[in-house]
Amino acid sequence: MSEDYRNMWADLGMDLAAHDALLEVLGKGYQDIYLAQKNRPKGMGYFDFVMSEVHGLRIKELINEKKAGRKVIGSFCVFVPEEIVRAADATLVGLCTGADFATEEVEKILPRNTCSLIKSAFGFKLGKVCPFIESSDMIVGENTCDGKKKSYEVLKDLVPNLYVMDLPQMKSEEGRALLKAEYQRFKEAVVNLTGVSIDAARLKKGIELVNNKRKAMHRLSDLRKADPAPISGLDALLANQVFFYDDIVRFTDSVNKICDELEDRIADNKGVFPKGTPRIVISGCPMAVPNWKFPWIVETSGAVIVGEESCIGERGTRNLTDNTKESTEELMDAIVDRHFKVDCAIFTPNPDRVNHILEMVEKYKADGVIHYGLQFCQPYATEAMSVEKQLEAKNIPTLRIDTDYSMEDVGQLKTRVEAFIELLR
Ligand code: BJ8
């Protein structure tokens, strides 16, 4: 890495030695998992570049934006509405939550039986290895699962500007009213932070930018219906992960370019795996960068992943925000309506999620579903049982797994996944 980047990381207060060690592990993981794949679309070269520069060029861009007076807001959840952030010319970035780091330190301030995702966020902060969190002018937490909401009481003393968003737990009229009030409060916080007053024209522009990004992902998802699959699940997951922190316009263009290439591949009947390879939909907890362990196990065991029912996947990207209205109030309502459809397991009851899984199985002609749960994630572990029952009642083979970010269970998971895939053939 260049001296320039090292100075930048030092200025952000990062621990350079620990960060070097992290980058080394990341680079090796990427090499072994991503670059070892065969028949990748050429357009994935863009994502290889993004990953190689994830803590370098992208951070430099954010610092430049900050120098020009714009703000950076970090988040951990798809309930934080990017439209409002964009409307204030600010940038929303997803914060690092996909790898274990400084676990011993984390377990001094959080219970051991906390999910890997939450521990990861704290590990990156305590270990001073995440330039995204260090560049953020405001960090948004949310009242979703118990693990997250209680952990923000601890995080507030570790970061300078934590904003916690209250979220509904039921899809009722009262729930929607709460979300509306919270988005209004969030809009005011963004205005205070940025000094930009958000009017209807700005909101429309913000919605358009974010919708275009989502539309590109919808196009990509749609192309995954083809058999042979034109893109691996690993590569599609990477696009879903980069969705959260790349420059919005460049990302949208790059995904659309890959889609052009995939259309040609489909026309030529070319795929990453042979036609007839068993097709899997993964459903459950989000897989944040660089959590590639489980899809890697699946795709090196003889199956292809054709869809992710996850917040880093279709649960997060699937609906657009209605941009046809003219007033600020109506546009804010449209943002509320769009996000209120997100069927996270923190809602009770949450029947839409299983309906979405069923839709995805049909749309992508999946042969089976794997429910991916992180250990100690109560909401998804509890839903997993009823999801499995409902899918099996429709004769959809389902496998339920619980794991974490360590590599200790890889052998055991691989044995279970291989047996499941054998069943699908
Ligand atoms: S909208 S899924 S991004 S909360 S894995 S931290 S649920 S114990 S991540 Fe999520 Fe928003 Fe919901 Fe989506 Fe808790 Fe479970 Fe950990 Fe989780």
Side-chain angles (χ1 to χ4, degrees), residues 189-288:
V190 172
V191 169
N192 281 341
L193 178 78
T194 58
V196 174
S197 80
I198 298 178
D199 58 13
R202 282 186 159 277
L203 266 183
K204 270 180 103 71
K205 183 88 205 356
I207 293 173
E208 191 192 332
L209 277 171
V210 184
N211 272 350
N212 285 343
K213 176 162 80 154
R214 293 184 185 126
K215 279 185 203 159
M217 293 309 290
H218 298 173
R219 206 180 145 205
L220 179 66
S221 304
D222 230 47
L223 293 165
R224 295 170 76 191
K225 288 188 211 155
D227 184 14
I231 184 165
S232 66
L234 272 167
D235 277 338
L237 173 66
L238 189 65
N240 275 295
Q241 292 174 331
V242 172
F243 180 94
F244 289 92
Y245 52 82
D246 197 14
D247 174 88
I248 192 163
V249 174
R250 188 175 58 207
F251 174 86
T252 306
D253 290 349
S254 305
V255 173
N256 276 318
K257 260 192 218 130
I258 291 182
C259 292
D260 294 342
E261 186 186 344
L262 298 191
E263 280 170 0
D264 292 344
R265 283 187 151 207
I266 293 169
D268 296 341
N269 217 13
K270 267 201 203 144
V272 264
F273 299 100
K275 193 176 168 67
T277 298
R279 300 163 68 82
I280 307 266
V281 162
I282 302 267
S283 167
C285 296
M287 292 176 190

Side-chain angles (χ1 to χ4, degrees), residues 76-79 115 117-118 144-145 148 285-286 311 315 344 374 377 380:
F76 299 106
C77 182
V78 297
F79 269 103
C115 85
L117 197 140
I118 299 171
T144 45
C145 64
K148 271 181 163 181
C285 296
C311 283
R315 191 189 310 129
C344 172
L374 284 175
C377 171
Y380 282 90

Side-chain angles (χ1 to χ4, degrees), residues 7-303:
N7 291 338
M8 173 178 81
W9 296 326
D11 289 347
L12 287 172
M14 291 170 59
D15 179 334
L16 293 187
H19 187 242
D20 284 348
L22 174 75
L23 286 189
E24 203 182 316
V25 175
L26 263 183
K28 168 103 178 62
Y30 196 77
Q31 180 78 35
D32 294 349
I33 294 179
Y34 274 89
L35 303 180
Q37 296 180 94
K38 302 220 161 58
N39 307 324
R40 297 176 80 206
K42 282 200 187 69
M44 286 310 295
Y46 170 71
F47 288 98
D48 294 341
F49 173 71
V50 169
M51 283 311 295
S52 69
E53 286 286 345
V54 61
H55 284 187
L57 184 63
R58 183 64 190 128
I59 300 301
K60 200 163 186 213
E61 288 175 348
L62 294 179
I63 305 274
N64 288 343
E65 284 179 26
K66 284 157 68 85
K67 280 186 187 148
R70 297 170 61 184
K71 300 291 181 192
V72 175
I73 298 178
S75 114
F76 299 106
C77 182
V78 297
F79 269 103
V80 180
E82 189 173 1
E83 293 91 333
I84 294 176
V85 175
R86 295 281 159 198
D89 277 339
T91 298
L92 187 71
V93 290
L95 297 173
C96 308
T97 53
D100 289 333
F101 205 86
T103 308
E104 249 175 58
E105 292 307 301
V106 175
E107 288 177 357
K108 286 182 195 151
I109 54 172
L110 288 180
R112 282 195 70 194
N113 57 351
T114 298
C115 85
S116 300
L117 197 140
I118 299 171
K119 278 190 190 164
S120 170
F122 276 72
F124 276 73
K125 175 65 210 168
L126 293 173
K128 301 188 188 147
V129 290
C130 174
F132 287 98
I133 202 164
E134 303 307 335
S135 326
S136 296
D137 298 293
M138 176 163 95
I139 291 160
V140 187
E142 15 57 49
N143 177 5
T144 45
C145 64
D146 285 354
K148 271 181 163 181
K149 82 177 159 215
K150 295 307 285 182
S151 74
Y152 297 129
E153 292 172 20
V154 183
L155 189 67
K156 79 172 191 326
D157 296 327
L158 302 176
V159 297
N161 190 10
L162 179 71
Y163 175 99
V164 181
M165 186 179 272
D166 193 9
L167 287 180
Q169 313 270 298
M170 290 177 96
K171 298 268 172 104
S172 56
E173 249 178 64
E174 293 78 5
R176 190 191 174 284
L178 170 61
L179 191 64
K180 185 173 173 175
E182 278 302 303
Y183 281 5
Q184 192 56 40
R185 188 170 73 90
F186 178 63
K187 179 168 153 273
E188 281 153 25
V190 172
V191 169
N192 281 341
L193 178 78
T194 58
V196 174
S197 80
I198 298 178
D199 58 13
R202 282 186 159 277
L203 266 183
K204 270 180 103 71
K205 183 88 205 356
I207 293 173
E208 191 192 332
L209 277 171
V210 184
N211 272 350
N212 285 343
K213 176 162 80 154
R214 293 184 185 126
K215 279 185 203 159
M217 293 309 290
H218 298 173
R219 206 180 145 205
L220 179 66
S221 304
D222 230 47
L223 293 165
R224 295 170 76 191
K225 288 188 211 155
D227 184 14
I231 184 165
S232 66
L234 272 167
D235 277 338
L237 173 66
L238 189 65
N240 275 295
Q241 292 174 331
V242 172
F243 180 94
F244 289 92
Y245 52 82
D246 197 14
D247 174 88
I248 192 163
V249 174
R250 188 175 58 207
F251 174 86
T252 306
D253 290 349
S254 305
V255 173
N256 276 318
K257 260 192 218 130
I258 291 182
C259 292
D260 294 342
E261 186 186 344
L262 298 191
E263 280 170 0
D264 292 344
R265 283 187 151 207
I266 293 169
D268 296 341
N269 217 13
K270 267 201 203 144
V272 264
F273 299 100
K275 193 176 168 67
T277 298
R279 300 163 68 82
I280 307 266
V281 162
I282 302 267
S283 167
C285 296
M287 292 176 190
V289 163
N291 177 13
W292 304 307
K293 174 174 101 173
F294 193 68
W296 168 69
I297 291 174
V298 173
E299 294 200 326
T300 52
S301 300

Side-chain angles (χ1 to χ4, degrees), residues 279-390:
R279 300 163 68 82
I280 307 266
V281 162
I282 302 267
S283 167
C285 296
M287 292 176 190
V289 163
N291 177 13
W292 304 307
K293 174 174 101 173
F294 193 68
W296 168 69
I297 291 174
V298 173
E299 294 200 326
T300 52
S301 300
V304 56
I305 297 166
V306 290
E308 299 76 25
E309 189 282 315
S310 160
C311 283
I312 300 183
E314 271 197 38
R315 191 189 310 129
T317 55
R318 73 176 164 145
N319 294 306
L320 297 178
T321 301
D322 180 6
N323 205 12
T324 57
K325 301 291 190 300
E326 297 305 327
S327 72
T328 309
E329 161 109 29
E330 288 168 318
L331 292 165
M332 285 294 289
D333 268 320
I335 294 171
V336 172
D337 288 336
R338 189 259 162 205
H339 288 79
F340 201 46
K341 290 190 199 125
V342 174
D343 38 21
C344 172
I346 57 125
F347 282 93
T348 185
N350 190 31
D352 290 348
R353 183 169 157 232
V354 89
N355 293 336
H356 183 214
I357 303 171
L358 290 168
E359 255 172 50
M360 288 181 71
V361 168
E362 197 178 317
K363 184 169 158 197
Y364 301 117
K365 300 186 204 76
D367 301 298
V369 173
I370 301 183
H371 192 283
Y372 171 85
L374 284 175
Q375 266 163 27
F376 311 121
C377 171
Q378 215 60 31
Y380 282 90
T382 308
E383 273 196 8
M385 302 197 192
S386 78
V387 165
E388 183 177 45
K389 241 195 239 154
Q390 291 178 72

